[in-house]
Amino acid sequence: MDNIIVLSGAVCRHPERSESPAGIPHTVITIEHRSNQQEAGLNRQAYVRMQVVLSGTVLHQQAQTLTLGSMVKVSGFLNRHQNRSGQAKLVLHAQQIEQIS
């Protein structure tokens, strides 16, 4: 079963570009999402900052035009990443990215 996550927001950190030992290009961006949502009949402000990993040549090329403040819509899947100190966080692995402004 495919569970696609869609997140829109502004790029709030400079993109970080790298390449894996296998030669696969990666770009990591951080998106800040803010919106008003309805929950239990009440308005609620939603806010999240999430890292997004763009892997592969096509997504890497699309990310070349992204700068701080770029508005994007990303779809993909969530995965758990663990840093060197063992702290875990959720990261969105992009399958598609679209600049919306």
Side-chain angles (χ1 to χ4, degrees):
M1 174 167 47
D2 289 345
N3 292 315
I4 302 297
I5 304 297
V6 178
L7 180 67
S8 62
V11 175
C12 63
R13 290 192 182 152
H14 292 287
E16 298 173 18
R17 294 169 175 87
S18 64
E19 192 172 287
S20 74
I24 298 170
H26 299 287
T27 303
V28 177
I29 61 173
T30 301
I31 294 179
E32 182 177 87
H33 168 89
R34 293 178 186 266
S35 64
N36 290 309
Q37 302 294 323
Q38 286 279 322
E39 182 177 39
L42 300 172
N43 287 330
R44 180 180 186 151
Q45 290 186 352
Y47 170 78
V48 68
R49 274 190 175 187
M50 181 168 277
Q51 276 193 342
V52 179
V53 176
L54 307 157
S55 297
T57 305
V58 173
L59 290 176
H60 184 73
Q61 288 174 345
Q62 289 177 318
Q64 295 297 321
T65 62
L66 298 179
T67 59
L68 208 57
S70 294
M71 294 297 294
V72 295
K73 181 171 134 180
V74 180
S75 60
F77 62 93
L78 293 175
N79 198 22
R80 180 180 178 271
H81 279 213
Q82 189 169 319
N83 66 16
R84 292 181 182 151
S85 66
Q87 186 176 20
K89 64 180 170 183
L90 284 177
V91 175
L92 179 60
H93 283 256
Q95 294 171 315
Q96 284 188 305
I97 186 166
E98 173 186 350
Q99 197 160 347
I100 53 179
S101 70

